[in-house]
Amino acid sequence: MQFYFIGIKGSGMASLASIIQDDGFEVTGSDIEKELLTDNILKKRNIHIHSLDDESYLNSDVIIIGHNFYKEKLLEKLDLYDKLYFEYNEFIGFYLNFKKTISICGSHGKTTLVNILSTIDTNSSFLRGDGEGFRNKNESLFYLESCEYKEHFLKYKPKEIIITNIDYDHTDYYKCEMDYINAFQKFVKNSSKIYIPYQDKDKIVHNNKITYGMKKEAIYRMRILRKTKSFIYFEVYYKDVKLGRLKCLNYGNNYALLVLASIACYYENYHNLNNVEENLLRYLPSHQRFEEYKIKGINIVLDYAHHYAQINNNLDILKIRYPLKKRVAIFRPDRISRLISFKNEYINVLSKFDEAYVLPLPNNKENEGNDANMICFNNIKYINDISNIKFEKNKVYSFMSSKPFFNELSKIKKGKNLS
């Protein structure tokens, strides 16, 4: 059977294409020519990418369409040729065995949490929001990153749901915070059990709610014993019963909370913590989720942070991993609606860096006629490109955006603007 993905470079689409290939099917697709984060992932799997004007999808058995490509003109053509097609999330809802599926949702940290879960649970399959997907032929559980944007996750009916956090976002679609929270409330009705941070417990109503956090009242609790630059040493409790003493890599308190969510889910499903610490220490960051590089002696971090809360988390990790270096933010916003809604919050968090630079918004219909200089204040400077930045070895540069930074990294590799 042949599967064709229109918009195959999308982060979820590339992950799903990988899973379909692991299931033994022939996979190909089409997308824009511009290089995206998923190009290398698809190339390593020998999945061919056609140009968008290619029509070989008409010779395929199943066509899966990314959200941005699900347009009336295309659908009319597919109907004319009597083709079987699905929108991305609709196909997932049709294809997966939801008796084994655990959905990971929330405002931030979804990709990282799926990564942690699949790292500690080596018998699992997963679909991750950075383009990585894997089907284990003997899977015990399937960890599915589930996006709340435009209520896309309502197509899924998972056996369990893990919520990472609920911070108001996607203000272009959800007109108020309660509207946003209600999307999660609708979603949890599809599940027999949910895991939720203790601080968010009152936002969601559910009759089987497993809380996790640092507070004593949380059902699964983490008690941090000590921290080093590299590790966090902690104890895990289920109610008042100590389950074990473990350690994980130190990517800050938010990461530790995601580790706790993973442990709670693992323990609920397997009733033991065998090999969890050993596997935790094998964790590698997901693509553009605090990925660290050294280029020409310059410390570079690539991060997906585009919400102000994620930028704040990025800064916390920088303080841990680069305590002696000045911290420089290079931020490319993605949506004008988010900037307008959280203008003061962006200014507040970017002002905490030693230096902060804001790059132009992507050129698209939503952002037309707007620019990102509205969040420039004091040490926050607006620049057209990184040629205005002098890169120095006593600083760490954190590139933050939901979009890739290929051009910027290329300039650094060529030695431009280096002190």
Side-chain angles (χ1 to χ4, degrees), residues 346-364:
Y346 279 114
I347 291 172
N348 180 55
V349 67
L350 289 170
S351 296
K352 296 176 183 177
F353 286 79
D354 295 296
E355 299 173 32
Y357 299 93
V358 178
L359 292 167
L361 285 158
N363 184 17
N364 57 38

Side-chain angles (χ1 to χ4, degrees), residues 370-399:
N370 294 287
D371 221 325
N373 55 12
M374 68 171 64
I375 60 170
C376 293
F377 182 78
N378 290 343
N379 70 319
I380 308 171
K381 298 177 181 178
Y382 179 81
I383 57 174
N384 286 319
D385 59 60
I386 65 166
S387 60
N388 296 337
I389 302 174
K390 184 179 179 182
F391 288 88
E392 301 173 289
K393 294 181 180 178
N394 66 331
K395 300 174 182 179
V396 55
Y397 298 84
S398 188
F399 288 80

